[in-house]
Amino acid sequence: MKKQLLFVFGLCALGMSAQDHFSGLKNSNKIGIFSASRNPAELSNLGSKYDINLFSVSMNVSNNKVGFQDLIKSDNDLEELIFSGNEAINLRIDSEIYGPGFALRLNKWAFGVSTKAYIKANFVDIDAQLGKAIIDGNEDAIVSSVALKSDYNQRMNATTWGELGFTAARTLFENEKHKFNGGAAIKLLFPGSYANFGIDKFQGTIDYAATTAYLNDINTNLNIAYSGNLTGDFSDTDNYTKSVFGKLNGVALDFGANYQLKDNDNGYKLNAGVAVKNMGSMTFKDPENSSTNYAFVIPDGTVLNPGLDLSLFEDVESLEDAETVLKEKDYLTEKKAESNIKVKLPTVFSAYADIKIIPKLYVSLFTQQKLGNDNDNDQITTQNVVSITPRFSLNNFEIFSPWASNEISGTTGGFGLRFYGFYLGSSSIVTALANDSKQADFYIGYRLALR
């Protein structure tokens, strides 16, 4: 378990990656098929007859504990920064990889095909004192006992899956001043690997004795689930990339609407839209699957039985190993077990408006609000985002600077550019260098527009 905890937070230290992928870039009116990932209705605004996406990659990390400046200036170890204080730990590692995609505009209709892969690893409302006790034992304890109490379902969760999407959009009304589009996408889902460790409304006590920390007085519910490569070592990055695309076993839908107030130069004064995305679920099916709900009970400690020795988790490498430790100590009572694992995609509502201030200068407003509960064991996580992006746009060149308020990491600011079909950027590089941003992200890609 110690390796699992440090693995996820170690990725944060690498500064790899936020939940609003390709922030700033998706607001552009020059990216063709790529804009359909924001809103399927945008496909009707293709500037060319054909549009091809070759590749796009976005990687991001958000957390609420450790800032970029902390990593540079602090003399403390990473885990000491993470587990300092009493605030619950939230961290989201999130990657999207776009493969080949193709779009075609035919009069009032437009059609697109896209391929994507997703890799996610998350900590949700993890108790800092419990994490510190697992990592350090009694090394730095200055008290003999610590009471733990959480009103949420603490989760350690990871998911990989692939997606094949089909999008259709149509111009519903158009005249010299106004244009209305509608669109929808159906996405075929290919679940790869999954792991979940959830402790619901956790209350208990950590008692320190000699060099050991013991967990006592626990009476709660525990979910342990794993499938695919994540049945093995949770901290091995190869287990995330080996099985991104599994077998077809899920469907999701996107719906969107788009409005443009036209300008005299064949552009627009306002481009606005709303969308509901990722309405659906997928099921992991494998002979090695395990998904079990337990009653997790540890009685008050005594001299002869001081409780659960947390040092037993130091060499644990998988959720199956952690499950075995708890079973051997007779702290788990099985309530429900299933071989198939059904999980819900992170359904979100998004709205945006791209406004022309003067020729070539635009300002975009964007919000994404999740419709699911990240504390549910069967929910893939995301986060709420509100952003504003000033953008200077020429036909073949564009620069932009997204600024956002994120649910987990707070305020972020970044910079990006597009040159013909090539684009790259980060929604947090400015605040990471100038302030103490708790988010790091990066994206890059290339597409072709064919007349």
Side-chain angles (χ1 to χ4, degrees):
M1 184 67 70
K2 179 175 181 179
K3 291 182 180 179
Q4 296 172 19
L5 291 170
L6 290 181
F7 161 68
V8 179
F9 289 112
L11 288 180
C12 184
L14 293 177
M16 286 299 296
S17 64
Q19 306 290 324
D20 177 22
H21 285 280
F22 303 95
S23 181
L25 179 68
K26 286 183 178 179
N27 302 317
S28 171
N29 57 348
K30 305 291 186 181
I31 57 170
I33 185 176
F34 201 70
S35 60
S37 62
R38 175 181 60 171
N39 181 348
E42 285 282 353
L43 207 61
S44 286
N45 295 326
L46 282 176
S48 58
K49 186 173 182 179
Y50 306 104
D51 204 271
I52 302 171
N53 184 74
L54 296 181
F55 77 95
S56 305
V57 178
S58 174
M59 299 177 289
N60 58 66
V61 171
S62 297
N63 84 99
N64 67 330
K65 301 285 282 191
V66 181
F68 185 78
Q69 297 297 324
D70 294 328
L71 298 175
I72 296 175
K73 297 179 179 180
S74 177
D75 294 329
N76 295 328
D77 294 335
L78 177 60
E79 59 266 29
E80 292 180 0
L81 295 172
I82 294 165
F83 297 112
S84 62
N86 296 316
E87 183 182 6
I89 301 159
N90 281 281
L91 181 143
R92 306 286 190 271
I93 297 176
D94 196 337
S95 296
E96 287 188 6
I97 304 166
Y98 287 61
F102 175 77
L104 167 68
R105 177 170 53 81
L106 293 172
N107 298 319
K108 293 184 177 182
W109 284 94
F111 302 94
V113 179
S114 62
T115 56
K116 298 180 188 178
Y118 298 84
I119 300 174
K120 290 176 175 280
N122 309 286
F123 278 11
V124 181
D125 293 321
I126 299 297
D127 190 290
Q129 294 296 320
L130 177 60
K132 185 174 179 60
I134 294 173
I135 295 295
D136 290 340
N138 194 31
E139 291 180 8
D140 300 316
I142 58 175
V143 294
S144 60
S145 181
V146 175
L148 306 176
K149 184 178 186 300
S150 172
D151 295 326
Y152 306 99
N153 182 34
Q154 301 180 52
R155 299 178 66 200
M156 183 170 64
N157 176 268
T159 317
T160 68
W161 77 97
E163 176 185 296
L164 175 62
F166 301 91
T167 303
R170 178 179 169 83
T171 299
L172 304 175
F173 172 82
E174 184 175 16
N175 61 19
E176 293 182 355
K177 287 294 184 182
H178 307 282
K179 183 180 180 182
F180 292 91
N181 303 320
I186 182 170
K187 299 183 287 190
L188 305 182
L189 308 176
F190 300 81
S193 296
Y194 181 79
N196 187 75
F197 189 92
I199 308 175
D200 190 32
K201 296 180 175 62
F202 182 76
Q203 297 186 46
T205 303
I206 298 176
D207 293 322
Y208 294 96
T211 59
T212 306
Y214 295 95
L215 192 60
N216 285 297
D217 195 19
I218 306 297
N219 189 349
T220 187
N221 295 314
L222 175 64
N223 173 263
I224 300 177
Y226 39 84
S227 176
N229 282 7
L230 290 178
T231 299
D233 190 344
F234 189 78
S235 63
D236 187 347
T237 55
D238 287 343
N239 287 338
Y240 290 81
T241 57
K242 284 180 179 178
S243 59
V244 174
F245 268 85
K247 296 180 180 180
L248 173 62
N249 214 333
V251 176
L253 299 173
D254 296 350
F255 294 99
N258 169 254
Y259 166 73
Q260 285 191 352
L261 176 61
K262 294 184 177 182
D263 205 354
N264 295 328
D265 61 355
N266 295 322
Y268 58 75
K269 296 178 181 178
L270 170 68
N271 182 52
V274 294
V276 180
K277 300 184 295 180
N278 295 328
M279 294 182 292
S281 62
M282 58 186 170
T283 303
F284 293 81
K285 291 185 177 181
D286 188 275
E288 302 300 320
N289 277 8
S290 177
S291 178
T292 310
N293 292 327
Y294 294 101
F296 180 27
V297 179
I298 303 177
D300 285 338
T302 64
V303 174
L304 296 179
N305 185 13
L308 175 60
D309 183 350
L310 293 178
S311 66
L312 294 174
F313 294 98
E314 288 185 357
D315 296 323
V316 163
E317 295 183 344
S318 69
L319 297 188
E320 187 176 17
D321 291 344
E323 186 177 32
T324 300
V325 169
L326 295 173
K327 281 183 175 180
E328 289 178 347
K329 294 300 179 179
D330 209 22
Y331 292 135
L332 297 181
T333 301
E334 184 177 307
K335 299 175 67 175
K336 183 180 180 182
E338 297 177 334
S339 58
N340 294 335
I341 305 172
K342 185 176 182 179
V343 298
K344 295 179 290 188
L345 261 64
T347 305
V348 296
F349 169 80
S350 63
Y352 59 90
D354 190 36
I355 306 164
K356 179 185 286 187
I357 305 301
I358 58 175
K360 312 304 180 184
L361 180 63
Y362 298 79
V363 172
S364 298
L365 306 174
F366 173 83
T367 182
Q368 172 183 287
Q369 301 297 312
K370 61 188 175 187
L371 302 181
N373 185 350
D374 286 351
N375 292 108
D376 293 342
N377 283 315
D378 61 350
Q379 178 68 61
I380 298 175
T381 64
T382 189
Q383 65 173 300
N384 299 327
V385 178
V386 177
S387 69
I388 182 171
T389 304
R391 180 166 56 86
F392 177 73
S393 180
L394 302 175
N395 187 42
N396 295 318
F397 178 74
E398 194 168 17
I399 57 173
F400 44 88
S401 180
W403 292 81
S405 175
N406 302 282
E407 180 183 6
I408 303 300
S409 57
T411 301
T412 59
F415 177 81
L417 62 86
R418 175 188 61 84
F419 183 67
Y420 287 87
F422 173 76
Y423 47 84
L424 64 87
S426 167
S427 63
S428 61
I429 189 170
V430 174
T431 46
L433 295 176
N435 200 346
D436 194 23
S437 176
K438 294 180 175 63
Q439 176 172 302
D441 64 276
F442 175 76
Y443 57 81
I444 188 171
Y446 189 82
R447 57 168 282 275
L448 291 173
L450 303 176
R451 299 293 177 182

